[in-house]
Amino acid sequence: MYCFSCRLFLNEQKYSKSSWRVAGVSNWKKAREKIKEHAESEAHLTSMVRWNTYKKSALQSAFDISDALGKEKREREKQQNRELLTRLIDITLYLARQGKAFRGDDESDTSRNQGNFLELVKMFSQYDSVLKLHLENLKCQKIGKNRCQVSLLSNGTQNDLIKALATFTKREIRKEIEEATIYSVLIDETTDVSHCEQVSIVVRYVYQMEIKERFLQVCNVAKTTGEEMEKTVLDLLKNNNLQIENMRGQGYDGAANMSGQYKGLQSRILQHNNKALYVHCQAHCLNLVLVEAAKSSIHFITFFNLVQKLYVFLTSSTKRHTAFVKCQEALHPGERVIQLQKLSDTRWACREKALKALLKVISSVVKVLTDITQQKPPDTAAGDARMYLKAIDFEFLLCLEIASPVFEVTALASDALQNSDIDLSTAYAVVNGVKDTLSNLRTEQQFGKLFKSACEKAEAAGISIPIAPPGQQRQRRVPAKYSHSTHAAIESHSFQSLEDYYRVKVYYTFIDVLSQGLERRFRGDGETQSNKILSALHNLTKPNKWIGKEIIGPDSLEAIHTLCEFYGGEEQKLKTELRVFYASFQDTSTVKDILKTLRDNNGQDIFPTLVKMITTYATIPVSTATVERFFSKLKLVKDTLRNLCSEERLSDLLLLAIEKDIPINHSEVVNIYRDMAPRRLLL
């Protein structure tokens, strides 16, 4: 007998005499003794060590080969799964950004419409090999009745992909806010289709010297009191890692729960941070001025009521609407048919569109009303048509001529105030432009043109023009005790002509109410701290106050002192930076121009104090129009067929539908999806 380990692993010369290796052992009588003796010998122990070492290295080599093959296979499977998820992410992103529904009523294999998500997957599988192979594998698994692999097509996966995309988008927004350091919040509330009170929150900040307004979240609140809104805002800031100490502005509408001086949200936030200045939405302010002007006199109250009634009368019936369209086509062949617009106190630009449309089709309106009254047999609406036709008199046409150019000017201002990147400096310039335009309109020559145009339209429509001013045929005598009052003097004033009457009683009154409303609402209520700070910040954007003068004016020095005391900074340094900046870059008239110049010329390093003040001024909100636009998306995402959408899912879908300009990194989204929960799929 021989020793296996010694024969294979003892090749040295000194072990050549071992009988266990070369000649073998045949003395079977002493086999036990010989085996025991050999097992304890140096040669055998050496061979055993070498044998064990060989076995270990061979096994490790086999394991290494197996691991390499397995790792390659796992990496290939992982890459395939990530490619598949990339396609599903794109489908999810498309549906979310378009505000479309994901699921269908019947998603079974026999359904002819499985919902938008599954139908898109099936459609793209016809052109994409990754999706096609995945669907074929799922089909084979179902036919073989084996345990089905992860499909990634369930409603749970869809919700997880929406959440992963929204998480990535929020991270990008938070990165921008962290880099900007300071921010402002814009908040408004509305009631959705399921009668839930939704509060939309937008963050405004300056990122890379550009003004940004980003949607952050929508919250469902049971109450909208100042206390409840304060709790909602603080919780939201905490959840998004935003420090309230870095807030520099608040933008709300004029509701008492938001703008209240004592218990409103703005006053409660100021208790946490006195630098978070409140600004009433400038677009809302302009709209309130227009609403006041529409009620400036009985003439315009009657006028706007009739405009609304004409819209309702001609559009509420398909028969009358068809007659109105045919009348336009007959009077203006080849031209586009114009629809009447509805009036609203809350829609900011609706009045200008309504007046503009009515001014173009007033002849068609008169014609269709006349046809209805003369119809044989009489129409059931003939009585209303006759009443409206009688109400369309010379005074109505004159009010239409007066209001149209004025509301056209204010509509341009309203559109400008609703831009997301507008700053307060530009807003003040827009409002001042409206004031100057109104001042230029308040002339006898301008009214004369409007009066002449109204007379021409009245003659063309067969409407009689009054000869004497209204009410002057029989004047009421003013009692002696009231004869010295201003009101009595106005009432007793005798107008020489019809044009004088309407110029004073209608035109000037309308213009004056608009001008006074603009002055009152945009000037601010007294010398409050907020108005003082905003005025000081606005002073920084006027180049003529800082260049070309040996001595800076006291108002400019007071502005520097106010800002440095409130926000912190050295007064002398800010003054020097302002003089050098405007002396070097003179073509900077707005905050946007200043920010662009500072960005292009590395101004952060040269003018640090000026950058701090200008970015603060740009961060303060102007209007809540961005929030209002987001409510339009809310109506698309949460409609009557999707009114059970949860708050978290609704907020995520709105974020994806609104912030479309943020580029999506698919690899990071896949990693977020992977880390959200334990996955059976290798990612």
Side-chain angles (χ1 to χ4, degrees):
M1 56 183 173
Y2 301 91
C3 178
F4 177 80
S5 61
C6 293
R7 282 177 66 100
L8 294 178
F9 296 101
L10 290 180
N11 299 323
E12 290 86 350
Q13 187 65 28
K14 63 179 181 178
Y15 301 124
S16 61
K17 296 181 180 180
S18 173
S19 59
W20 292 85
R21 177 176 174 271
V22 180
V25 177
S26 58
N27 188 358
W28 295 97
K29 292 181 179 180
K30 296 184 178 180
R32 291 179 180 274
E33 297 177 7
K34 293 291 185 181
I35 292 173
K36 184 178 180 181
E37 180 182 353
H38 179 73
E40 296 175 352
S41 65
E42 179 185 351
H44 180 74
L45 294 176
T46 302
S47 67
M48 288 298 294
V49 170
R50 293 180 178 179
W51 187 17
N52 288 329
T53 303
Y54 172 78
K55 288 192 295 182
K56 183 178 180 181
S57 61
L59 187 62
Q60 185 63 40
S61 177
F63 283 154
D64 291 342
I65 295 173
S66 177
D67 287 345
L69 295 175
K71 185 177 181 180
E72 182 181 354
K73 182 180 178 180
R74 289 193 300 273
E75 191 63 33
R76 186 167 56 251
E77 180 184 354
K78 177 181 177 181
Q79 187 62 30
Q80 291 175 352
N81 293 335
R82 294 180 76 92
E83 289 181 1
L84 174 62
L85 266 178
T86 299
R87 285 142 175 87
L88 298 180
I89 286 171
D90 284 335
I91 293 174
T92 303
L93 191 61
Y94 167 78
L95 292 175
R97 284 181 171 176
Q98 297 301 318
K100 301 296 183 182
F102 279 71
R103 303 189 62 193
D105 293 334
D106 184 6
E107 296 184 349
S108 62
D109 295 336
T110 58
S111 174
R112 302 181 66 179
N113 184 1
Q114 295 180 301
N116 291 331
F117 185 84
L118 294 180
E119 291 295 334
L120 282 175
V121 170
K122 288 194 297 183
M123 183 190 70
F124 285 120
S125 66
Q126 302 176 21
Y127 310 98
D128 185 83
S129 59
V130 175
L131 286 174
K132 182 178 181 180
L133 181 61
H134 179 68
L135 294 182
E136 288 177 351
N137 291 338
L138 291 177
K139 187 175 181 180
C140 292
Q141 292 284 344
K142 291 181 179 180
I143 293 175
K145 296 182 179 180
N146 298 326
R147 184 181 180 185
C148 186
Q149 68 183 81
V150 179
S151 68
L152 293 176
L153 304 178
S154 66
N155 60 320
T157 301
Q158 296 172 29
N159 292 336
D160 287 348
L161 289 177
I162 294 171
K163 184 65 178 176
L165 284 166
T167 301
F168 172 80
T169 306
K170 272 190 177 181
R171 287 181 183 177
E172 295 299 308
I173 295 176
R174 283 201 293 265
K175 287 179 183 178
E176 294 182 356
I177 298 175
E178 289 174 0
E179 184 174 333
T181 307
I182 59 175
Y183 65 92
S184 296
V185 294
L186 294 83
I187 300 176
D188 203 352
E189 66 270 0
T190 188
T191 304
D192 62 21
V193 69
S194 60
H195 308 290
C196 295
E197 191 72 23
Q198 300 288 355
V199 175
S200 182
I201 302 177
V202 174
V203 181
R204 178 185 172 102
Y205 53 91
V206 177
Y207 175 68
Q208 295 181 351
M209 293 301 170
E210 291 185 0
I211 300 173
K212 302 281 188 180
E213 287 187 356
R214 297 287 193 189
F215 174 80
L216 196 61
Q217 192 172 334
V218 64
C219 301
N220 185 2
V221 295
K223 300 179 181 178
T224 57
T225 61
E227 183 179 2
E228 186 68 22
M229 294 298 297
E230 177 192 13
K231 183 178 181 299
T232 300
V233 172
L234 294 179
D235 291 343
L236 180 135
L237 295 179
K238 182 179 179 181
N239 295 336
N240 290 276
N241 297 323
L242 299 178
Q243 303 297 325
I244 195 171
E245 293 79 12
N246 296 331
M247 187 187 296
R248 290 295 179 268
Q250 309 174 66
Y252 318 128
D253 57 19
N257 64 325
M258 307 296 286
S259 63
Q261 186 176 357
Y262 302 103
K263 295 184 179 181
L265 175 61
Q266 65 98 1
S267 62
R268 293 175 181 272
I269 296 296
L270 284 174
Q271 294 176 5
H272 297 278
N273 179 11
N274 65 338
K275 293 183 175 61
L277 304 180
Y278 164 67
V279 177
H280 189 184
C281 173
Q282 304 293 286
H284 270 103
C285 290
L286 180 58
N287 186 62
L288 292 173
V289 172
L290 297 179
V291 172
E292 291 176 358
K295 303 173 183 177
S296 59
S297 65
I298 187 61
H299 308 282
F300 276 104
I301 292 175
T302 306
F303 166 73
F304 281 107
N305 285 340
L306 182 56
V307 171
Q308 177 65 13
K309 290 182 182 299
L310 288 174
Y311 163 80
V312 174
F313 180 75
L314 293 176
T315 59
S316 60
S317 168
T318 55
K319 179 181 177 181
R320 292 193 291 270
H321 181 263
T322 303
F324 176 59
V325 172
K326 290 182 178 180
C327 189
Q328 285 191 59
E329 293 173 349
L331 293 178
H332 310 286
E335 296 185 8
R336 180 183 175 185
V337 174
I338 298 176
Q339 303 292 342
L340 296 181
Q341 301 290 324
K342 180 182 178 182
L343 292 181
S344 173
D345 287 347
T346 56
R347 291 172 55 203
W348 296 336
C350 70
R351 291 181 179 270
E352 185 268 340
K353 294 180 180 179
L355 296 178
K356 187 176 181 181
L358 183 59
L359 186 63
K360 291 181 178 180
V361 298
I362 186 63
S363 58
S364 300
V365 171
V366 174
K367 180 67 168 57
V368 73
L369 291 176
T370 304
D371 292 343
I372 293 175
T373 58
Q374 297 175 355
Q375 187 175 350
K376 297 295 179 79
D379 189 273
T380 55
D384 292 338
R386 185 174 183 178
M387 179 180 62
Y388 295 141
L389 189 60
K390 187 176 181 180
I392 300 177
D393 54 6
F394 175 76
E395 185 176 294
F396 177 84
L397 296 178
L398 182 60
C399 288
L400 183 60
E401 290 288 337
I402 293 173
S404 295
V406 173
F407 276 82
E408 185 176 357
V409 172
T410 55
L412 295 174
S414 179
D415 292 341
L417 292 175
Q418 294 176 52
N419 291 333
S420 60
D421 59 348
I422 191 174
D423 56 84
L424 282 173
S425 175
T426 306
Y428 293 152
V430 169
V431 175
N432 289 333
V434 174
K435 292 179 181 178
D436 294 340
T437 304
L438 292 177
S439 178
N440 295 331
L441 288 175
R442 196 185 185 281
T443 61
E444 293 185 9
Q445 294 79 5
Q446 187 64 34
F447 177 75
K449 296 178 182 178
L450 298 176
F451 187 82
K452 181 180 179 181
S453 178
C455 291
E456 293 174 353
K457 284 185 170 57
E459 292 175 357
I463 299 174
S464 60
I465 302 175
I467 300 176
Q472 290 205 177
Q473 293 83 353
R474 295 180 59 187
Q475 293 186 4
R476 183 170 63 91
R477 184 177 180 181
V478 180
K481 61 179 180 179
Y482 299 128
S483 59
H484 300 290
S485 67
T486 305
H487 179 72
I490 295 175
E491 289 295 330
S492 62
H493 177 74
S494 177
F495 296 97
Q496 300 299 321
S497 65
L498 184 70
E499 183 176 350
D500 291 341
Y501 173 82
Y502 281 114
R503 183 178 65 250
V504 176
K505 298 287 287 185
V506 179
Y507 186 64
Y508 285 171
T509 302
F510 183 65
I511 298 294
D512 291 344
V513 170
L514 270 174
S515 301
Q516 293 169 8
L518 290 172
E519 183 68 22
R520 183 180 70 257
R521 291 192 178 274
F522 289 92
R523 184 190 63 217
D525 299 328
E527 289 296 325
T528 63
Q529 185 185 33
S530 295
N531 292 334
K532 188 177 180 181
I533 298 299
L534 293 177
S535 177
L537 288 170
H538 186 58
N539 232 323
L540 302 183
T541 63
K542 298 179 179 179
N544 58 342
K545 291 184 175 291
W546 309 103
I547 57 175
K549 294 182 178 180
E550 293 292 334
I551 301 176
I552 298 177
D555 57 337
S556 300
L557 294 176
E558 179 63 25
I560 290 179
H561 174 73
T562 301
L563 294 176
C564 291
E565 183 180 15
F566 189 71
Y567 291 113
E570 299 179 13
E571 297 182 23
Q572 183 61 37
K573 189 175 182 181
L574 178 58
K575 181 174 70 174
T576 304
E577 290 180 6
L578 282 166
R579 301 196 68 161
V580 174
F581 176 79
Y582 283 116
S584 304
F585 311 102
Q586 298 182 4
D587 297 331
T588 51
S589 56
T590 64
V591 173
K592 290 177 65 175
D593 294 337
I594 297 174
L595 291 175
K596 184 178 183 300
T597 303
L598 290 171
R599 181 189 60 202
D600 296 340
N601 297 277
N602 199 21
Q604 296 91 329
D605 299 330
I606 306 174
F607 311 103
T609 310
L610 176 61
V611 168
K612 176 183 177 181
M613 297 301 175
I614 292 298
T615 52
T616 300
Y617 193 30
T619 301
I620 297 175
V622 178
S623 74
T624 59
T626 303
V627 190
E628 297 282 349
R629 282 191 286 269
F630 294 166
F631 288 154
S632 300
K633 287 293 184 182
L634 176 62
K635 294 179 181 179
L636 295 177
V637 175
K638 191 173 183 180
D639 54 19
T640 54
L641 298 179
R642 289 188 286 169
N643 57 3
L644 297 180
C645 183
S646 65
E647 178 183 340
E648 183 179 6
R649 189 172 188 269
L650 175 63
S651 184
D652 293 341
L653 288 173
L654 281 174
L655 181 65
L656 298 176
I658 293 166
E659 302 300 343
K660 297 181 179 180
D661 62 323
I662 296 180
I664 300 297
N665 188 322
H666 291 76
S667 180
E668 290 190 24
V669 174
V670 173
N671 293 337
I672 294 172
Y673 171 80
R674 178 196 62 197
D675 299 336
M676 286 171 59
R679 304 291 181 189
R680 287 172 53 197
L681 204 64
L682 186 61
L683 296 172

